[in-house]
Amino acid sequence: MTDDLLARHKAVMPTWMPIYYQEPIELVSGSGCRVTDAAGRTYLDFFGGVLTNMIGYDVPEVREAVERQLRTGVVHSSTLYLIRQQIELAEKIARVSGIEDARVFFTNSGTEANEAALLVATNLRRSNQVLAVRNSYHGRSYAAIGITGHRSWSASSLNPLQVSWLHSGDRLRGVMARLADGDHIDAAVEDLREVLATQTAGDVACLIAEPIQGVGGFVHAPDGLFAALKKVLDEHGILLISDEVQTGWGRTGEHFWGYQAHGVTPDLLTFAKGIGNGFALAGVVGRAEVMEAVPAISFSTFGGNPISTAAGNAVLDYVLDHNLQANAQRVGAILLEGLRAAAAQQPIVAEVRGKGLMLAIEFVRSGTLEPDAAVTTRVFEACKAGGLLVGKGGLYGNVLRMGPPLTLSEEEAREGLAILVDAIASAAA
């Protein structure tokens, strides 16, 4: 039973691993965009294992690809041997990355992907100085925590890097809040120049940034910011790393990668989550001249193994063959428009934001901008009671995050929207 499983969890797992809901659930099966718990209750899933089950559950194409590889008897060989599935997936990712003469290195997680990108950038520049963004999240290793600008996720102050911080794209709070897009970009460029002049020794390795900040509550700066920043970075030879762990593979609808909204190509991009659709798969892509900067041997034992890359090939083929980017834009618009219409009637909602199927609702004390984590939790629990799973996040824990499978149908979007609207109304009452 779930209660027994919860007690067992608490007996052997650390307390700093959070579990959702006052009454946690065990997911025992899934199909399409729906999951079923151990009690037999079925939910529409708008969070997809934290934006990871990108094309839903029980996808025949993925299952068959993995089963074919399993039948060969080779689950692992290490990259000391040629891996056909890995090479084929690298070729596909290189083609869709938008980066010329691209090289791909596979890892197991977004954390490892960002570590690999930092390894490349700091070696190329022979510097451990890094620019990062406030309110960001990049992973749980020491270097990744070091470039994470979100106190709730910064478990240690120990850091192998010298980090200087840029302002985030938060439109509600902070020194650049409420600025018009052009003024925001100008202020961000001025901020970058000042940080370089005052906080660094001049030989900075890179800027790492998320096009849309994931854990930070799906906050994002105006389109075009990365291009404006890169002009300054290029003056100093500083690399741009785009952390696409949550924004990649067409999730934003308007583009395949989040960086493309900015009219610039990064030197390196990192990917993870959705490409494996639940299998551990991640990596970094960069120009050959950049990726070849590592002067010693390095590899990832399990990164890009035959099973995960068999899944990854099937997932990427499915995304492209079914044009899920277009579906994300179409279905996401239904949710965004519906939520904004409902939010206009609710003073507890400060903002509905996002792109495609990457959407967030920020909750505040009625009529103010004071974050309200308690009302957020009430909406969160009410969604579950109504049969909808969503996520939480934001710097103050007051943001509902939604990253449904990119296969979400218009009918499912309207179903989830109705549950969300009712949940918000009940929490506001």
Side-chain angles (χ1 to χ4, degrees), residues 143-365:
I145 288 173
I147 55 170
T148 287
H150 193 297
R151 187 172 61 186
S152 297
W153 293 85
S154 296
S156 173
S157 63
L158 300 176
N159 188 0
L161 303 169
Q162 179 67 42
V163 183
S164 298
W165 298 96
L166 304 181
H167 289 289
S168 79
D170 194 331
R171 310 293 186 95
L172 291 179
R173 302 176 186 86
V175 298
M176 292 187 284
R178 308 294 183 180
L179 291 179
D181 286 0
D183 293 336
H184 185 123
I185 291 173
D186 289 343
V189 169
E190 183 179 350
D191 176 49
L192 171 59
R193 289 191 182 280
E194 183 176 26
V195 166
L196 288 173
T198 61
Q199 297 183 34
T200 76
D203 55 344
V204 175
C206 62
L207 164 62
I208 184 167
E210 303 159 274
I212 300 177
Q213 293 183 322
V215 168
F218 293 174
V219 167
H220 64 90
D223 291 352
L225 174 64
F226 281 18
L229 295 180
K230 196 168 190 311
K231 288 181 181 179
V232 179
L233 300 179
D234 287 347
E235 293 172 9
H236 300 268
I238 300 169
L239 303 179
L240 174 63
I241 303 172
S242 185
D243 180 340
E244 301 275 355
V245 169
Q246 296 196 32
T247 49
W249 318 111
R251 177 162 292 281
T252 68
E254 60 185 18
H255 298 101
F256 198 72
W257 302 102
Y259 79 75
Q260 291 170 322
H262 295 270
V264 68
T265 302
D267 298 289
L268 297 160
L269 74 82
T270 57
F271 61 86
K273 290 192 181 291
I275 185 61
N277 206 55
F279 287 87
L281 183 61
V284 56
V285 191
R287 296 194 318 276
E289 63 183 290
V290 175
M291 289 289 285
E292 298 293 351
V294 179
I297 293 172
S298 186
F299 83 143
S300 175
T301 299
F302 299 106
N305 68 74
I307 296 296
S308 66
T309 50
N313 273 294
V315 170
L316 185 50
D317 288 348
Y318 193 99
V319 167
L320 297 173
D321 292 346
H322 292 80
N323 196 7
L324 294 189
Q325 177 185 332
N327 188 64
Q329 185 171 34
R330 180 176 60 256
V331 178
I334 294 172
L335 288 168
L336 186 63
E337 292 167 9
L339 287 170
R340 283 181 171 165
Q345 312 302 318
Q346 299 291 356
I348 63 170
V349 178
E351 186 176 42
V352 176
R353 58 178 175 259
K355 297 180 178 183
L357 287 175
M358 191 174 183
L359 302 170
I361 311 169
E362 179 152 346
F363 293 94
V364 292
R365 294 192 185 280

Side-chain angles (χ1 to χ4, degrees), residues 30-85:
S31 180
C33 295
R34 298 181 192 273
V35 292
T36 301
D37 68 15
R41 177 84 190 276
T42 296
Y43 304 87
L44 182 60
D45 188 359
F46 266 27
F47 206 39
V50 193
L51 289 77
T52 299
N53 298 308
M54 184 170 68
I55 60 175
Y57 298 85
D58 195 24
V59 181
E61 289 87 344
V62 177
R63 183 177 63 251
E64 291 164 7
V66 170
E67 288 176 346
R68 279 196 303 272
Q69 184 60 40
L70 281 171
R71 285 194 295 270
T72 70
V74 179
V75 173
H76 173 75
S77 67
S78 92
T79 51
L80 296 173
Y81 303 93
L82 295 172
I83 302 174
R84 184 174 298 275
Q85 298 279 14

